[in-house]
Amino acid sequence: MKRRTKIGLLVAAFLGVLVWQCFKGGYGVGVDSVSWLPRDAHNITYTGDFWFKMAEFDIDREAFEKWCAREGMPLHVLGDDRHRTVDRCLPWLARRGVIPPIAEPNESGAWSGIKNFGAGDLFFEERWSNGGGYTLGYDIKEKRGYYWFSHH
């Protein structure tokens, strides 16, 4: 086999693996760690790939605030007049068949797959012009962090 052919096959294989990694999704329920979340996070439920990630997890407030600040996404305390939301990963996992269908109701009695944050909770949101960005929240009462990322 010619040298150019070997190099071409190597480059094609490398690009194939790179594309596969970008679209290969992962998920977990009740896991101890995920590389793209704070080290202090535990009891993690997540789903994601290179383009899209969402998770909810237990973590102490101080640890989550420090991690968010280091990542350039400082959390802000919501006032009485502020209401924010983040998508939850549980409906995604239920649709994939990873977990049983969700029966947990929201305030209206129906499962919406949305986590609501209110007064006293912590929140950060950054939206990009392409539709992507970050949304992070911390529920003070639950002591639980929420993470959402989309490339676009």
Side-chain angles (χ1 to χ4, degrees), residues 7-8 14-15 20 27 35-36 40 56 67 79 82 84 86 97 115-116 120 148 152:
I7 291 172
F14 174 76
L15 291 174
W20 178 73
Y27 59 84
S35 64
W36 41 270
D40 295 317
E56 44 196 88
W67 181 81
R82 306 292 305 261
R84 299 286 189 217
V86 65
K115 171 63 184 165
N116 293 301
W148 180 91
H152 63 280

Side-chain angles (χ1 to χ4, degrees), residues 7-150:
I7 291 172
L9 288 173
L10 264 164
V11 169
F14 174 76
L15 291 174
V17 169
L18 183 64
V19 169
W20 178 73
Q21 287 292 327
C22 286
F23 291 100
K24 180 187 96 173
Y27 59 84
V29 177
V31 300
D32 291 329
S33 68
V34 175
S35 64
W36 41 270
L37 290 175
R39 287 185 184 176
D40 295 317
H42 57 283
N43 189 23
I44 303 166
T45 299
Y46 77 97
T47 185
D49 56 29
F50 176 79
W51 307 101
F52 175 76
K53 295 175 174 82
M54 57 181 13
E56 44 196 88
F57 47 91
D58 295 334
I59 189 168
D60 290 331
R61 174 183 176 164
E62 185 178 320
F64 193 43
E65 284 183 292
K66 284 181 181 178
W67 181 81
C68 289
R70 275 194 313 270
E71 295 294 316
M73 300 180 286
L75 297 169
H76 302 284
V77 178
L78 296 175
D80 290 333
D81 60 336
R82 306 292 305 261
H83 170 82
R84 299 286 189 217
T85 63
V86 65
D87 290 342
R88 295 185 69 189
C89 61
L90 295 178
W92 291 75
L93 295 172
R95 273 185 249 139
R96 286 179 148 175
V98 175
I99 61 174
I102 307 288
E104 180 183 331
N106 63 15
E107 290 107 23
S108 68
W111 174 254
S112 69
I114 303 290
K115 171 63 184 165
N116 293 301
F117 297 95
D121 290 332
L122 307 176
F123 198 80
F124 172 85
E125 187 168 43
E126 176 181 287
R127 289 287 179 225
W128 304 332
S129 60
N130 69 0
Y134 290 91
T135 304
L136 291 90
Y138 186 79
D139 187 302
I140 298 297
K141 292 176 190 164
E142 293 178 355
K143 297 183 180 181
R144 200 149 168 82
Y146 295 83
Y147 178 99
W148 180 91
F149 163 80
S150 179

